């Protein structure tokens, strides 16, 4: 089937069962896009839930408002969901909806090691449809036939330039609606609509799948964790700075990524008070072309190194045996203060969801401030697993 075949209008499609703005006849998912919302019904803004009249009334219709799509209306809870970036998959896993997930932008960008510490929590990564294969095929969306696309459509049209707006409209009308917001960074000129924090976006997803109780329980653990860490942080003058960078397993150059600024993938760094080692150095951060050699890095000499790498992830022991060992044996790398002081850490995922966030806060608080968080686990893994599995 070609993309041209998909656009044939003579066949009955989901659009025959939908109208936008509120009415629906038939179908599982009532998908109405009522245009940009003023967010007056947003749980993230008003303190009230987006879940309709009663979060327990799962058979009642309800709506969720989120930029840039505006208001999306549901007749019932979507059973199959197609996300794009891994932060949104992590949200669904946290809400007990791992089995609903159907897709991923690129498998190598989804770090899943943290699920190993949560009993009974997992996701079938190999079973997900990878949407990026030298472009994004509309045919995959028809084949998945998901009830909801948990995707900011501007990810497809502006970020990756893979689709035109007409492609988005076609898939929305013929398959299922889009809901989502590119939250992991805030540096795109085309993103001229509202951003959401990690937990604001998480709340919207919880509303879409009617899992308010799980969301509130995970948020309570997060808030307690952040409060605990901040109460015990040393004075700001005593906190280390850090260089966040992409690097290979045997790095000879590094691609900088700034800690300063906003974005969901930086929230855990801010929670533990990490300062950006590149501040005031003229290093702009990730541009796709900027790189640093050891000589430049030695001039900056960060207190800590946070190294990101592409791939499904390494355990701490694998990281120490490969990356850290290489730096320790390197003529110039071994001169870095961070290497000599044992402050070289995995940099964590770029698409960090709420479960990633918990583990990253724990990792950096205990790693950077061992005298203040000595041999501790800063949140209860079993409690989190119980919430996800419905056993809490």
């Amino acid at each position: 089937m070609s993309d041209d075949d998909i656009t044939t209008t003579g066949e009955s499609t989901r659009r025959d069962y939908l109208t936008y703005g509120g009415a629906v006849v038939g179908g599982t998912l009532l998908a109405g896009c009522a245009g940009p919302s003023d967010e007056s019904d947003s749980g993230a803004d008003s303190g009230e839930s987006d879940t309709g009249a009663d979060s327990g009334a799962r058979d009642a219709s309800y709506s969720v408002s989120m930029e840039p799509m505006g208001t999306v209306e549901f007749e019932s809870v979507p059973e199959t969901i197609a996300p794009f970036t891994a932060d949104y998959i992590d949200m669904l896993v946290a809400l007990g909806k791992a089995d609903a997930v159907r897709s991923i932008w690129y498998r190598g960008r989804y770090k899943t090691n943290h699920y190993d510490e949560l009993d009974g929590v997992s996701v079938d990564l190999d079973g997900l449809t990878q949407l990026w294969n030298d472009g994004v095929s509309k045919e995959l969306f028809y084949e998945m036939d998901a009830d909801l696309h948990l995707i900011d459509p501007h990810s497809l049209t502006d970020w990756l330039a893979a689709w035109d707006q007409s492609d988005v409209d076609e898939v929305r009308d013929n398959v299922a609606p889009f809901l989502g917001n590119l939250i992991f960074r805030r540096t795109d000129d085309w993103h001229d609509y509202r951003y959401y924090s990690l937990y604001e976006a998480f709340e919207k997803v919880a509303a879409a799948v009617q899992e308010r109780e799980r969301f509130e329980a995970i948020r309570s653990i997060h808030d307690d964790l952040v409060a605990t860490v901040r109460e015990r942080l040393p004075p700001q003058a005593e906190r280390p700075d850090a260089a966040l960078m992409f690097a290979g397993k045997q790095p000879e150059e590094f691609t900088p990524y700034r800690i300063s600024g906003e974005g969901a993938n930086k929230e855990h760094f801010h929670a533990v008070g990490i300062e950006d080692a590149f501040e005031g150095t003229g290093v702009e951060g990730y541009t796709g072309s900027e790189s640093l050699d050891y000589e430049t890095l030695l001039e900056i000499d960060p207190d800590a190194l946070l190294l990101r790498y592409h791939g499904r992830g390494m355990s701490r022991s694998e990281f120490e045996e490969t990356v850290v060992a290489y730096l320790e044996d390197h003529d110039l790398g071994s001169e870095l203060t961070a290497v000599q002081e044992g402050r070289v850490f995995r940099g964590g995922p770029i698409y960090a969801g709420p479960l990633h966030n918990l583990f990253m806060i724990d990792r950096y608080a205990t790693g950077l401030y061992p005298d203040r968080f000595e041999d501790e686990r800063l949140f209860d893994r079993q409690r989190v697993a119980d919430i996800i599995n419905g056993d809490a």
Side-chain angles (χ1 to χ4, degrees), residues 26-37:
T28 298
L29 181 67
L30 186 159
C33 292
S37 165

Side-chain angles (χ1 to χ4, degrees), residues 192-355:
D192 57 359
Y193 45 95
R194 178 189 166 174
Y195 282 102
Y196 296 81
S197 69
L198 174 61
Y199 268 78
E200 286 172 341
F202 186 25
E203 186 171 21
K204 297 295 186 182
V205 175
V209 298
Q210 295 284 270
E211 286 292 346
R212 186 77 191 185
E213 290 185 7
R214 277 192 174 95
F215 166 75
E216 293 288 3
I218 296 292
R219 180 165 65 176
S220 177
I221 290 174
H222 167 266
D223 291 350
D224 288 345
L225 172 61
V226 172
T228 296
V229 169
R230 288 180 174 168
E231 286 173 2
R232 294 161 62 181
L233 287 177
Q236 186 152 356
E238 299 176 18
R239 299 174 193 172
D241 63 26
L244 176 63
M245 301 179 291
F246 284 96
K249 291 184 178 180
Q250 295 184 342
E252 288 300 329
E253 61 180 16
F254 306 83
T255 302
Y257 198 106
R258 298 297 298 274
I259 291 173
S260 59
E262 300 298 325
N265 83 86
K266 301 177 183 181
E267 290 187 18
H268 42 274
F269 299 127
H270 299 325
V272 299
I274 299 177
E275 301 292 328
D276 190 343
F278 295 130
E279 194 70 35
T281 66
V283 174
E284 296 181 2
Y286 184 74
T287 63
S289 60
E290 185 176 16
S291 63
L292 305 177
D293 56 22
Y294 280 100
E295 287 81 0
T296 304
L297 201 56
L298 276 167
E299 291 178 9
I300 299 170
D301 200 19
D303 297 322
L305 299 181
L306 309 175
L307 302 182
R308 283 176 167 166
Y309 44 92
H310 295 313
R312 293 194 185 179
M314 286 187 281
S315 67
R316 175 65 192 179
S317 60
E318 291 172 324
F319 181 72
E320 290 177 343
E321 292 167 3
T322 55
V323 180
V324 176
Y326 184 80
L327 291 172
E328 290 174 339
D329 290 339
H330 194 279
D331 289 344
L332 296 178
S334 60
E335 296 181 18
L336 290 165
T337 296
V339 176
Q340 294 177 351
E341 298 294 330
R343 289 194 294 263
V344 181
F345 303 95
R346 292 167 292 167
I350 193 170
Y351 311 109
L355 300 178

